[in-house]
Amino acid sequence: MAVANSITAIQAGARQVEGTINGLGERAGNWALEEIIMPIKVRQKMLAVTTNINHQEIYRTSQLVSKLCNAPLTANKAIVGSNAFSHYSGIHQDGVLKNRETYEIMTPASIGLRETQLNLTSRSGRAAVRHRMTEMGYQDTNYNLERLYEAFLHLADKKGQIFDYDLEALAFINQQQEPEFFRLAYFSIQSGSNLLATATIKIICGDKEKSNAATGNGSVDAIYQAINKIAKYPIKLISYQLSAKGHGNEALGQVDIVAECFGRRFHSIGLETDIVESSAMAMINVLNNIWRAELVKKQKNHSNTEVVQ
């Protein structure tokens, strides 16, 4: 309503608008600046006004302000929210692929984003799956779309969002069920105000059982160090987020992590009543994602070698 009022005021002759990035302090009469300047840009001919603002810096500035002010943006925030240029529904995704203007009156690039994001979920259609495979460099003849899509739906119902390495595993490993090469068998943590956090862990790797121990800056860091000693992957933790699911004694700790390995980023979630166990499960899931990605790479290299011979 505030945006509509501001646009109406501009049409009526107002030439000064009081605004702040992300709408901080809106109760003091400030409008969300990005929600004003973008309509002015998109409807410039109708409003007959312009600004000297660099629109390509809107998203980056919004993220910076959000972090500095410790004011997280909601996913459905207009213009700069994480869902502003994301599409989940299969109908929406197909429409955007055919003509972006069907659902987007402005481009992601106009605010400094690289591209529209098509989130692959159980609501996605074949067109979105094929498009993502094409973006990764695969031709239609490299895989069977019908089999891939059937496996995709099965996994999406279990996992929620599907990432690139998931698609490759479904297309080339040809397994609808996720192969769990790494499985957590046991872990123990020793920590305290005057103790160095120490983690002992046992992981089943295929048909072998491996154990190791490590110290770290806190319980989570210690268990991650121990896991890395066993897996021996060059993993770099990019982000770690902890949130509570539920209330009281029944509450679950959800750990969302993003890790980088071999130049690729892997996402994972751990959900347990114990925070350390949630953290460990999230990293174990990352290990399985990396293992599947490496298995796909080996199979592709083997196929290429056979073609050359």
Side-chain angles (χ1 to χ4, degrees), residues 1-20:
M1 193 66 171
V3 175
N5 291 339
S6 65
I7 298 300
T8 301
I10 292 173
Q11 287 179 305
R15 290 300 176 264
Q16 179 174 325
V17 174
E18 300 296 336
T20 58

Side-chain angles (χ1 to χ4, degrees), residues 16 26 58 65 71-73 89 95 110 119 122 129 138 142 157 162 190 204 229-230 237 244 258 294 296:
Q16 179 174 325
E26 71 278 5
I58 290 177
V65 171
L73 296 173
S89 168
S110 64
N119 294 291
S122 58
V129 172
Y138 298 110
N142 296 142
D157 283 335
I162 301 299
Q190 290 183 334
I204 300 174
K229 280 187 176 182
I230 295 176
L237 187 63
V258 178
E294 289 301 292
V296 169

Side-chain angles (χ1 to χ4, degrees), residues 3 7 32-44 47 51 53-56 58-59 78-80 85 105-112:
V3 175
I7 298 300
L33 190 61
E34 65 278 358
E35 296 180 25
I36 304 301
I37 58 179
M38 287 310 296
I40 290 177
K41 175 179 173 59
V42 173
R43 299 289 183 248
Q44 183 175 339
L47 297 175
T51 68
I53 292 174
N54 183 353
H55 299 83
Q56 281 73 32
I58 290 177
Y59 182 78
I79 312 298
V80 292
F85 294 95
I105 63 171
M106 64 187 74
T107 65
S110 64
I111 66 167

Side-chain angles (χ1 to χ4, degrees), residues 142-308:
N142 296 142
Y143 60 95
N144 185 301
L145 179 61
E146 291 304 317
R147 283 206 299 263
L148 172 59
Y149 187 66
E150 182 181 353
F152 163 81
L153 290 178
H154 183 84
L155 182 58
D157 283 335
K158 292 173 50 182
K159 190 174 181 180
Q161 187 170 353
I162 301 299
F163 298 97
D164 292 352
Y165 45 83
D166 294 315
L167 276 183
E168 288 183 319
L170 292 175
F172 301 107
I173 299 178
N174 195 27
Q175 294 187 18
Q176 294 186 14
Q177 299 291 336
E178 291 188 87
E180 299 297 335
F181 182 80
F182 296 97
R183 300 190 303 278
L184 179 63
Y186 164 86
F187 78 93
S188 175
I189 297 291
Q190 290 183 334
S191 65
S193 58
N194 296 320
L195 294 175
L196 182 64
T198 304
T200 303
I201 193 167
K202 182 184 296 183
I203 299 177
I204 300 174
C205 308
D207 56 357
K208 297 180 180 179
E209 194 173 82
K210 298 182 180 180
S211 302
N212 218 315
T215 59
N217 184 21
S219 300
V220 174
D221 183 52
I223 203 165
Y224 280 178
Q225 295 293 341
I227 290 174
N228 286 340
K229 280 187 176 182
I230 295 176
K232 297 181 180 179
Y233 284 138
I235 297 175
K236 178 181 179 183
L237 187 63
I238 303 299
S239 71
Y240 175 99
Q241 293 182 333
L242 173 65
S243 58
K245 299 297 180 181
H247 303 279
N249 295 332
E250 301 299 323
L252 296 173
Q254 178 173 310
V255 173
D256 298 76
I257 65 173
V258 178
E260 188 174 84
C261 185
F262 301 126
R264 197 170 192 175
R265 292 195 173 187
F266 298 86
H267 307 68
S268 183
I269 294 176
L271 186 64
E272 301 291 341
T273 53
D274 183 86
I275 294 174
V276 177
E277 187 175 0
S278 296
S279 302
M281 290 306 302
M283 185 57 73
I284 292 294
N285 291 335
V286 164
L287 294 183
N288 282 310
N289 289 333
I290 297 173
W291 178 80
R292 284 190 292 271
E294 289 301 292
L295 184 60
V296 169
K297 186 186 297 183
K298 290 179 181 178
Q299 291 188 358
K300 288 166 59 180
N301 291 338
H302 180 68
S303 298
N304 292 336
T305 302
E306 288 182 345
V307 171
V308 171

